[in-house]
Amino acid sequence: MLAATFLPWVLLRPNRLAAGEFLRLPLPEMLLGVAAALLPALAGRFFPRAAPLLASFSLALGAWWLGSRTGAALSGQAEFARASASSGVWLWLLGAAITVYGAGLAGQRWGGAQRWLAWLWLPMVLAAALTGHFASWSVVAEYRVQHDRFLQELWQHLRLILSALGLATLIGAPLSVWASRSARVSGTVLGLAGGIQTVPSLALLGLLIAPLSALANAVPGLRSLGVSGIGVAPALTAMTLYALLPVLRNGVVALRGVLPGVLDAARGMGMTDNQRFWRVQLPLALPVWLSGIRQAAVMLVGVASVAQLIGAGGLGYFIFSGLQSGAADLILLGALPAALLAILLDIVLRGVEALLGRQLGRA
């Protein structure tokens, strides 16, 4: 964070593609940045209870400067000018995020409201975003231009993820139950799923073009359902295959991890095999199994971005459009929402795992 205060903060360009000028923080803000970088560390040493609050302030300050500095840079510029975040912004936000994480861990020891002080940056940043404070940032400017297309591709990205995750769960669940009862079956199934993981996603998408095209030509009815060598069909197939390994692996481990004594007790109570599975084994295995589904969901966010290369749509549209034109703002317009989507899915599914774990603990 100290280094970030002396690095360029904004890159001002006359348009999206032209070279630009690097701008640094003004001296007063630079001095404030030095203080905001040092105070959490000093507080952690001498006033540890204040460290989460100061760390949260430093992260919110970096976000605030991103909006204010880009706005100041665009003052008096032409309509097509762009003000991008430069190296100082990203290094500051990285350092501040690490500081917030460390302060949050320390705050957990005190409990109560103290543990939430490290999260105060979130409402502050959300309030700034909702009031248009980041409107001058180049990524937000690109969003305004691409608003309708962005919402379309975001929905397509989410639809690909949820469809592939649902298919992988429907296929992987019965396979996991079968594999958990036989070492030979589990070795074969997990080996095949692991082998698919070794194939790069782009290569797998390419390998699926020929067989799916041949299948659509051989069975014309499939083409009317959308099956073809390019588009959603190969993307969904590849994503489902990629998601199978974490679903299968965690399912097998979870089902085998149920203590034999618990199953013996259920048998002693007169339960049938089906009753033992549905009432005892599956509920106990479900939190660990959900962890595999969570891992698959997070992984699919990245794989779905590559699906744009074969015409399946998604946030990869902006990433590859930016790569082709050399526009970093377009790349960020696709990459940042994808990263946030992965984090959100991880948080939601972790919450479901924790909820199930608490319910089983009380039971």
Side-chain angles (χ1 to χ4, degrees):
M1 291 168 65
L2 278 173
T5 59
F6 301 101
L7 290 174
W9 204 263
V10 174
L11 172 60
L12 177 62
R13 296 169 296 169
N15 56 60
R16 178 198 291 170
L17 303 177
E21 175 188 5
F22 289 101
L23 306 176
R24 299 177 185 273
L25 289 172
L27 182 59
E29 294 186 7
M30 192 178 294
L31 295 175
L32 178 60
V34 171
L38 291 175
L39 284 177
L42 293 174
R45 179 66 178 86
F46 299 105
F47 307 100
R49 290 183 180 270
L53 178 62
L54 292 171
S56 189
F57 169 76
S58 66
L59 184 53
L61 180 65
W64 178 265
W65 277 342
L66 171 61
S68 62
R69 288 295 95 208
T70 51
L74 286 180
S75 178
Q77 300 294 323
E79 179 184 355
F80 296 106
R82 292 288 188 268
S84 306
S86 190
S87 56
V89 174
W90 302 118
L91 188 59
W92 178 279
L93 292 179
L94 174 62
I98 294 172
T99 305
V100 165
Y101 178 73
L105 290 180
Q108 289 179 4
R109 294 178 299 179
W110 303 306
Q114 191 73 33
R115 60 182 299 185
W116 300 108
L117 288 178
W119 286 94
L120 282 179
W121 63 270
L122 185 57
M124 290 190 283
V125 172
L126 286 177
L130 292 174
T131 54
H133 183 69
F134 302 111
S136 300
W137 184 23
S138 57
V139 177
V140 179
E142 293 296 340
Y143 168 75
R144 288 197 300 268
V145 174
Q146 306 265 4
H147 175 265
D148 293 338
R149 185 64 184 265
F150 177 82
L151 294 179
Q152 174 188 334
E153 300 300 346
L154 177 62
W155 167 244
Q156 177 66 4
H157 201 93
L158 188 59
R159 185 167 59 178
L160 286 171
I161 293 169
L162 296 179
S163 300
L165 188 64
L167 287 172
T169 304
L170 287 175
I171 297 170
L175 282 177
S176 297
V177 175
W178 184 32
S180 68
R181 298 172 179 175
S182 169
R184 194 165 81 175
V185 173
S186 66
T188 302
V189 169
L190 292 176
L192 289 173
I196 293 171
Q197 287 279 353
T198 64
V199 181
S201 56
L202 187 57
L204 184 58
L205 290 169
L207 290 172
L208 289 171
I209 292 176
L212 287 177
S213 295
L215 182 62
N217 291 331
V219 185
L222 292 177
R223 188 174 294 277
S224 63
L225 296 175
V227 176
S228 63
I230 60 173
V232 173
L236 202 54
T237 304
M239 291 172 65
T240 302
L241 291 174
Y242 268 110
L244 274 177
L245 180 61
V247 174
L248 284 170
R249 181 179 56 212
N250 279 56
V252 171
V253 170
L255 291 170
R256 287 182 175 174
V258 177
L259 295 175
V262 175
L263 298 177
D264 289 340
R267 186 181 294 110
M269 293 172 63
M271 290 187 181
T272 64
D273 289 343
N274 284 336
Q275 288 174 329
R276 285 200 307 274
F277 175 77
W278 290 106
R279 296 184 182 181
V280 179
Q281 190 175 17
L282 182 60
L284 291 175
L286 202 53
V288 178
W289 206 340
L290 277 176
S291 176
I293 295 174
R294 173 176 55 82
Q295 294 168 21
V298 173
M299 178 187 65
L300 286 175
V301 175
V303 179
S305 300
V306 184
Q308 164 61 25
L309 291 175
I310 58 168
L315 293 172
Y317 167 81
F318 301 105
I319 296 173
F320 291 108
S321 295
L323 288 172
Q324 290 170 1
S325 59
D329 303 331
L330 274 179
I331 297 173
L332 288 175
L333 184 60
L336 289 178
L340 292 174
L341 184 58
I343 294 171
L344 181 61
L345 284 172
D346 184 73
I347 291 173
V348 170
L349 292 175
R350 279 184 186 274
V352 174
E353 291 174 41
L355 180 62
L356 284 175
R358 287 195 297 270
Q359 287 180 345
L360 289 173
R362 288 196 296 266

